[in-house]
Amino acid sequence: NAGVTQTPKFRVLKTGQSMTLLCAQDMNHEYMYWYRQDPGMGLRLIHYSVGEGTTAKGEVPDGYNVSRLKKQNFLLGLESAAPSQTSVYFCASSAFFSGKGNEQFFGPGTRLTVL
Amino acid sequence: GEDVEQSLFLSVREGDSSVINCTYTDSSSTYLYWYKQEPGAGLQLLTYIFSNMDMKQDQRLTVLLNKKDKHLSLRIADTQTGDSAIYFCAESPNILTGGGNKLTFGTGTQLKVEL
């Protein structure tokens, strides 16, 4: 049981390049999330999904797209990377109901640098 | 919208108690959480409290909730060097109102434990 995994762990892009971050969970969770973490700003929600085939915007969606074609996977895309997207990206998942409120399980993060 | 605030840094000596504070604005919060982030890792749920409780104790951890002042605190007794991490306060609304179990995170408090 790997929990939540993220690929890749590190990436350096040039401005204007595109990339996709992959998140996978093996807990059969309905909900999945993408956050970015920046110093002094905590975690901010980019996009989330309440089930296979659904996506919704979070707090900071601009410049990102997502897809959830399979229940266990949630992809985050950057079509044209900008230096402002330099950040650490975390994926998380949660069950519809759990014994600990809305507990979310986090992946280890992807550190992205855009030059 | 919801807002969660924390101080950015706290330094304590090993063996002392640590108290990390958090204020939130959403009075409809049903659960409030403390997550821990160790260096280079994702967040892990440390403890949580349901909104109808005033206090929750779990081994060295004590959570106090003042709903009137919308204030949440985390006390770590006998703080150890292994407690050095970033601690995030988070809140979530009533899960029955929909929204995919979204959490709103604070900025995080960096706890440094000195020998």
Side-chain angles (χ1 to χ4, degrees):
Chain A
N1 188 337
V4 179
T5 57
Q6 293 182 231
T7 308
K9 288 185 169 50
F10 302 94
R11 187 72 186 268
V12 178
L13 291 178
K14 293 182 179 178
T15 298
Q17 287 185 316
S18 64
M19 78 164 294
T20 300
L21 283 67
L22 171 64
C23 175
Q25 53 95 5
D26 61 2
M27 296 172 283
N28 201 35
H29 284 167
E30 291 79 9
Y31 300 136
M32 295 188 75
Y33 315 83
W34 276 107
Y35 294 92
R36 59 178 289 173
Q37 182 179 23
D38 302 290
M41 302 190 74
L43 271 73
R44 293 182 292 171
L45 182 65
I46 305 171
H47 285 281
Y48 65 100
S49 167
V50 300
E52 182 178 321
T54 75
T55 63
K57 292 180 180 180
E59 182 185 352
V60 288
D62 293 342
Y64 305 95
N65 55 76
V66 288
S67 64
R68 184 127 180 245
L69 299 179
K70 295 182 179 180
K71 187 177 184 180
Q72 64 268 34
N73 295 338
F74 196 28
L75 279 62
L76 177 71
L78 286 73
E79 290 187 348
S80 180
S84 61
Q85 294 178 303
T86 293
S87 187
V88 181
Y89 292 85
F90 287 100
C91 176
S93 69
S94 68
F96 183 70
F97 279 115
S98 79
K100 296 182 180 180
N102 300 349
E103 180 182 10
Q104 293 185 10
F105 294 80
F106 283 80
T110 295
R111 186 173 294 275
L112 175 66
T113 301
V114 183
L115 302 175
Chain B
E2 304 89 359
D3 194 22
V4 180
E5 294 189 355
Q6 304 175 235
S7 55
L8 290 180
F9 299 101
L10 176 65
S11 180
V12 299
R13 299 182 77 163
E14 189 178 38
D16 288 349
S17 292
S18 307
V19 179
I20 302 172
N21 295 302
C22 167
T23 58
Y24 61 97
T25 58
D26 188 359
S27 58
S28 69
S29 298
T30 52
Y31 288 98
L32 294 125
Y33 309 81
W34 286 103
Y35 278 81
K36 179 182 180 182
Q37 183 183 30
E38 296 185 350
L43 280 69
Q44 282 192 304
L45 181 66
L46 195 60
T47 187
Y48 70 100
I49 187 166
F50 191 53
S51 59
N52 67 352
M53 299 169 65
D54 298 324
M55 185 181 85
K56 181 178 179 181
Q57 189 144 6
D58 184 1
Q59 298 182 330
R60 292 190 298 121
L61 306 178
T62 303
V63 179
L64 295 178
L65 175 60
N66 181 329
K67 284 192 70 175
K68 175 176 172 291
D69 295 337
K70 298 190 183 70
H71 183 265
L72 182 74
S73 68
L74 173 70
R75 179 177 180 270
I76 305 173
D78 187 25
T79 311
Q80 303 297 307
T81 55
D83 295 322
S84 292
I86 303 176
Y87 291 82
F88 290 92
C89 170
E91 61 91 21
S92 67
N94 188 329
I95 61 173
L96 298 179
T97 61
N101 292 3
K102 287 186 289 183
L103 297 180
T104 300
F105 286 89
T107 53
T109 298
Q110 172 86 56
L111 174 64
K112 182 179 178 182
V113 182
E114 298 175 328
L115 297 173

